[in-house]
Amino acid sequence: MAKNKNKGNKKGTTKPVEPTTKKVGEPEEPVKNEEKYMRIQPTTSETQKIKDKKLKAKLSQQERNSREAARAAARAELLLQEEAGYLEAEGLEKTFKFRQEQLIPSLDVNTTSKIFTLDLPQFGPYAVDYTRNGRHLLIGGHKGHIAAFDWQTGGLHFETHVNETVRDVKWLHNETLLAVAQKKYVYIYDKTGLEIHRLKNHSYVDKLEFLPYHYLLATIGSNGYLKYQDTSTGELVAEKRTRLGPCNTMTQNRYNAVIHLGHQNGTVTFWSPSMPTPLVKMQCHRGPVRAIAVDRGGNYMATSGLDGQLKIWDIRTYGCLQEYYTPRTATTLDISDTGLLGVGLNTHVQIWKDAFTTKQQSPYMSHLEAGSIIQDVKFVPYEDVLGIGHQKGISSIVVPGAGEANFDALEVNPYQTKKQRQEAEVHSLLDKLQPDMIVLDPTQIGKVNKLTKADIMKRRKEEDDEKAPNTPEKERKRMRGRNSALKRLQRKKAKNVVDRRVVMLRLLFIKSSILLLISIVFRLKCKRN
């Protein structure tokens, strides 16, 4: 019917405008800040050269999905209304001289309630840890006190005393499970404080780290073994011997899930469960390494040692960017989502701003815990708050500009309900990554190795030749009559040949030598007598 009507249209009448539709495969217009969110660098020209059609289509689709995700994230920037705010001083004032009491009149009621101190002088010093969404707090006293609670509402989950030493505490994938490194073993507790597991393979542990995307609990202690435990299946995934003695300094790179260890000889090693030896070994200090911290982007690392130095490193080039002298050894470090560096020095806590870009002359903020040595500092995710564990309890202070202003509710949601938490747990288990995918450069996963088998074998042969150079041994000069051409040829032929005749001759030579020595000793004794 429509076809006949179109034929009957008179000349000069206007036709209806058809909506423009985007053709399949037609490239979209570029979006502002698109490259900021790109995770895979486009290699369209190289992809077109691939002969395998299935592989070519798969890589093209992968690049297309990555670009679409980057454009969607760039467009969503228009909806991000919140911005990070920092302290600003007027005139001759300095921001590091501001105290928490002076900030309270300028803060709202909700933020003011986040400044508090829990006095627990009997069981300290305390280690602290926050969940990934920053809602729940876990504390562990060195003398056996453990407590977990929703620190924003004040709701206590549980409080117990294990009657033995507690070295470290760590939340697992969410607030329902937690790990505690006690005197001998690592124990797993639930939200109510009920003991669920005892990990006998992890003994004398000093530090704990949890990799949320791989469901791996990493431990290190006085025996010098780095162990990975899969908390979803209960299997011991890997056990690595560091060969560098006891270790009590560990952190993780949240960008690629590589574990960083600080050792007594001043080195920092990077570890992956799929490799028997460290991926990288850096000489960072002249004395033992006391603390390590890595920023969220995985580009910068801060280390402190007993040599009185605080150093900033660029992990991409493994070079030292800045060095700071500390009057006391920095025992704990942490980096916020916005790049603020928290440093625990004896009884002081200092926060440094822009420490990774330029050399700073003074800290951004400073806090004093009078008469109480700092044990642990942790920035709360998505909050302008710093948690401090010290000798006499725990403290919470406000640090303007420390938290990420906008959060992704599909990644971590500080306001999630019980149903949302259950669904997120199921999705994270389905999307769980394998331990073999922990590498220094995660963007290389899924790409094609362009080297042929012949090139790989040639490169391996060259590396083997460099390690073991085939330089002929220089033959030493011998006595007259034993360096003739015939003797040299016989020695060359019999160099790597071991037969029964050669063995018998060697035994006879040894026996004759022993008899000769005995006779000489006997003659000397006779002469003395």
Side-chain angles (χ1 to χ4, degrees), residues 142 165-169 179-187 199-209 217-227 247-250:
H142 186 71
T165 303
V166 172
R167 295 189 175 94
D168 198 12
V169 291
V180 180
Q182 295 179 203
K183 184 178 181 181
K184 189 173 182 182
Y185 298 115
V186 175
Y187 292 84
L199 306 179
K200 290 185 178 179
N201 293 325
H202 303 258
S203 58
Y204 302 103
V205 170
D206 291 327
K207 280 293 179 180
L208 299 170
E209 277 294 336
L217 177 66
T219 65
I220 190 70
S222 57
N223 53 15
Y225 280 86
L226 174 64
K227 299 179 182 180
C247 178
N248 57 5
T249 304
M250 177 171 64

Side-chain angles (χ1 to χ4, degrees), residues 353-380:
K353 182 183 174 186
D354 300 328
F356 305 109
T357 54
T358 55
K359 183 92 180 248
Q360 301 297 315
Q361 301 300 323
S362 61
Y364 168 60
M365 287 186 69
S366 181
H367 178 73
L368 172 65
E369 286 292 340
S372 185
I373 297 174
I374 306 299
Q375 174 72 13
D376 198 7
V377 294
K378 288 279 170 55
F379 283 100
V380 183

Side-chain angles (χ1 to χ4, degrees), residues 509-527:
F509 177 74
I510 292 169
K511 284 182 179 180
S512 60
S513 301
I514 292 170
L515 290 171
L516 182 62
L517 285 170
I518 291 171
S519 63
I520 291 170
V521 171
F522 182 74
R523 286 175 185 175
L524 288 171
K525 283 185 177 180
C526 290
K527 284 182 179 180

Side-chain angles (χ1 to χ4, degrees), residues 412-430:
V412 283
N413 186 4
Y415 308 104
Q416 67 181 2
T417 61
K418 182 179 178 181
K419 185 69 175 175
Q420 289 174 334
R421 176 178 57 77
Q422 292 172 347
E423 290 180 358
E425 188 172 358
V426 173
H427 282 293
S428 64
L429 281 169
L430 292 173

